[in-house]
């Protein structure tokens, strides 16, 4: 049941005892993975979703205050959002959208900040089988037409109109799990990266596939020992950066050629363009600051041994930070991006 934890019962009273609950929670914290993050529209709050289906809301304004205490780094509210892991989250101007196994759910930020966590709506894509419950682990907002793109275990990308809640397009072509999505800012195109080793570009107006890149077939990118899966990608006009099994690499989309291969031995799980840098992280406890030329400018230590999500708060200049989450109950906060200032902690 959403909103409830699995209790441990005292055999005499049939009620959970505090020491037993504390011990269970300690085990959950030890094995916690934080898969997703999203900043509130006002930029003062950070939502983080974990492998237990919980979403915790942290106050960035309180944690960054000169008067911050340890309590300021704990959630102001947390709630059970999904029966399984919270794989992805995004925020609109009014709502926090989260995805788990088979469906997307919405929560009003105006309610969340008042510690009211009632679901606003939920939607399930039109899967080919009623028995199918695939993971939805990538969400991407398209502000040009107020739509939501989502993808995951059914090997397809779905487009949903946020006004009506109707699913308007389905993009099929991948033969395996879709891990990641990105939009091209200057055009109505979406890119998807998959376990099948391909990056595919889709025309969002027609639903047609307009480009196919098999990254692992390029010798300079191929790493057979890690596989061919594409776990992360990001775009900036005519440029794309992607990685996973193959080496993290920068591509010129018009010529479909890799221009830079970054010398990172570990598989990367999240990547983004930021100012004149590329930020990436993955199967190592560090955030990589990369130059377009391929040089590693810095590798900043972080708490998670494996990083699943990076998030830059650009919605509030006063609370502008980089946050990193992964295989830990802690979400690291970097105030100037060059060192970890402190960590937000699930409680």
């Amino acid at each position: 049941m959403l909103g409830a934890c699995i209790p441990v019962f005292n055999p005499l009273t049939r009620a959970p005892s505090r020491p037993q609950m504390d011990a269970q929670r300690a085990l959950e914290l030890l094995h916690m993975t934080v898969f997703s993050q999203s900043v509130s529209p006002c930029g003062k709050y950070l939502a983080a979703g974990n492998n237990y289906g919980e979403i915790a809301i942290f106050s960035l304004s309180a944690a960054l205050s000169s008067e911050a205490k340890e309590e300021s780094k704990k959630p102001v509210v947390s709630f059970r959002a999904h029966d399984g892991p919270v794989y992805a989250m995004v925020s609109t101007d009014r709502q926090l959208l989260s995805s788990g196994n088979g469906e997307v759910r919405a929560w009003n930020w105006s309610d969340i900040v008042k510690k009211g966590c009632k679901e606003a709506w939920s939607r399930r894509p039109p899967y080919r089988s009623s028995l199918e419950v695939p993971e939805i682990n990538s969400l991407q907002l398209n502000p040009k037409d107020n739509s939501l793109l989502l993808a995951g275990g059914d090997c397809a990308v779905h487009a949903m109109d946020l006004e009506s809640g109707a699913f308007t397009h389905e993009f099929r072509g991948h033969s395996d799990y879709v891990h990641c999505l990105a939009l091209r800012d200057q055009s109505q195109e979406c890119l998807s990266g998959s376990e099948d080793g391909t990056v595919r570009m889709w025309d969002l107006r027609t639903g047609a596939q307009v480009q196919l890149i098999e990254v692992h077939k390029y010798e300079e990118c191929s790493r057979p020992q890690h596989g061919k899966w594409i776990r992360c990608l990001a775009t900036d006009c005519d440029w794309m950066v992607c990685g996973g099994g193959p080496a993290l690499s920068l591509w010129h989309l018009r010529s479909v050629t890799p221009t830079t291969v970054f010398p990172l031995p570990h598989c990367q799980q999240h990547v983004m363009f930021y100012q004149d840098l590329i930020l990436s992280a993955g199967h190592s406890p560090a955030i990589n600051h990369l130059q377009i030329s391929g040089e590693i400018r810095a590798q900043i230590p972080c708490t998670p041994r494996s990083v699943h999500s990076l998030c830059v708060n650009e919605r509030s200049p006063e609370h502008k930070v980089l946050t990193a989450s992964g295989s830990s109950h802690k979400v690291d906060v970097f105030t100037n991006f060059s060192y970890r200032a402190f960590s937000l902690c699930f409680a």
Side-chain angles (χ1 to χ4, degrees):
M1 182 176 69
L2 296 183
C5 294
I6 301 172
V8 178
F9 288 99
N10 182 315
L12 299 178
T13 65
R14 304 298 297 168
S17 70
R18 183 58 184 266
Q20 287 173 315
M21 293 178 69
D22 288 348
Q24 178 177 331
R25 188 55 177 172
L27 283 172
E28 289 178 345
L29 293 173
L30 183 64
H31 297 287
M32 187 175 288
T33 297
V34 180
F35 286 112
S36 54
Q37 305 177 78
S38 184
V39 176
S40 65
C42 64
K44 295 180 180 179
Y45 298 93
L46 177 73
N50 68 22
N51 55 320
Y52 301 117
E54 301 167 353
I55 293 177
I57 307 298
F58 298 94
S59 172
L60 291 175
S61 55
L64 292 167
S65 167
S66 59
E67 300 175 357
K69 300 176 181 178
E70 283 308 305
E71 283 298 312
S72 307
K73 299 164 188 174
K74 294 180 180 179
V76 293
V77 64
S78 60
F79 57 96
R80 181 66 60 89
H82 295 268
D83 291 326
V86 184
Y87 290 111
M89 292 192 295
V90 292
S91 287
T92 70
D93 290 339
R94 296 184 301 109
Q95 293 180 322
L96 173 67
L97 310 182
S98 63
S99 67
N101 290 326
E103 65 183 354
V104 177
R105 291 181 171 151
W107 319 84
N108 292 325
W109 272 110
S110 58
D111 294 333
I112 291 173
V113 298
K114 296 174 185 174
K115 302 186 180 182
C117 304
K118 184 180 178 181
E119 178 185 307
W121 54 259
S122 66
R123 296 288 185 276
R124 179 185 171 92
Y127 298 123
R128 293 185 171 182
S129 166
S130 59
L131 300 177
E132 196 173 13
V133 189
E135 300 171 358
I136 300 174
N137 77 332
S138 189
L139 299 175
Q140 178 70 54
L141 290 172
N142 184 3
K144 289 188 177 180
D145 62 2
N146 194 32
S147 67
L148 175 71
L149 299 170
L150 53 145
D154 68 336
C155 312
V157 179
H158 302 270
M160 187 188 89
D161 179 74
L162 285 171
E163 188 69 31
S164 66
F167 286 91
T168 57
H169 288 91
E170 181 178 273
F171 309 94
R172 286 200 173 269
H174 286 293
S175 61
D176 211 334
Y177 197 102
V178 181
H179 285 291
C180 46
L181 297 170
L183 286 175
R184 290 188 72 186
D185 291 339
Q186 305 302 319
S187 60
Q188 283 281 13
E189 292 173 337
C190 167
L191 282 79
S192 57
S194 168
E195 189 77 15
D196 65 15
T198 67
V199 173
R200 296 171 190 256
M201 187 185 298
W202 311 91
D203 187 319
L204 294 175
R205 294 160 295 190
T206 65
Q209 179 180 300
V210 295
Q211 199 168 81
L212 168 67
I213 303 174
E214 296 179 283
V215 179
H216 64 284
K217 290 189 175 180
Y218 289 75
E219 185 177 354
E220 57 268 57
C221 303
S222 179
R223 299 192 302 186
Q225 72 275 24
H226 293 306
K228 62 182 182 180
W229 51 286
I230 301 299
R231 176 62 178 85
C232 59
L233 62 84
T235 59
D236 185 6
C237 298
D238 289 334
W239 296 92
M240 172 189 76
V241 60
C242 67
L248 190 74
S249 50
L250 179 68
W251 292 68
H252 185 251
L253 288 173
R254 290 186 184 274
S255 59
V256 196
T257 52
T259 61
T260 306
V261 178
F262 298 97
L264 299 171
H266 301 286
C267 298
Q268 300 299 290
Q269 298 191 122
H270 196 118
V271 67
M272 64 171 65
F273 287 94
Y274 178 72
Q275 296 181 356
D276 61 341
L277 293 175
I278 291 171
L279 304 179
S280 79
H283 292 176
S284 64
I287 298 172
N288 305 299
H289 293 207
L290 310 169
Q291 294 186 313
I292 304 298
S293 60
E295 179 185 343
I296 300 175
R297 179 182 289 184
Q299 291 183 300
I300 312 302
C302 62
T303 301
R305 304 299 299 175
S306 180
V307 180
H308 287 274
S309 172
L310 298 176
C311 180
V312 176
N313 181 9
E314 307 238 43
R315 298 192 173 192
S316 169
E318 186 182 351
H319 309 106
K320 185 173 183 178
V321 292
L322 167 68
T323 54
S325 69
S327 56
S328 171
H329 69 284
K330 297 181 178 181
V331 178
D332 285 352
V333 178
F334 301 80
T335 50
N336 70 357
F337 296 19
S338 295
Y339 68 94
R340 182 182 68 86
F342 58 88
S343 296
L344 305 169
C345 302
F346 275 76

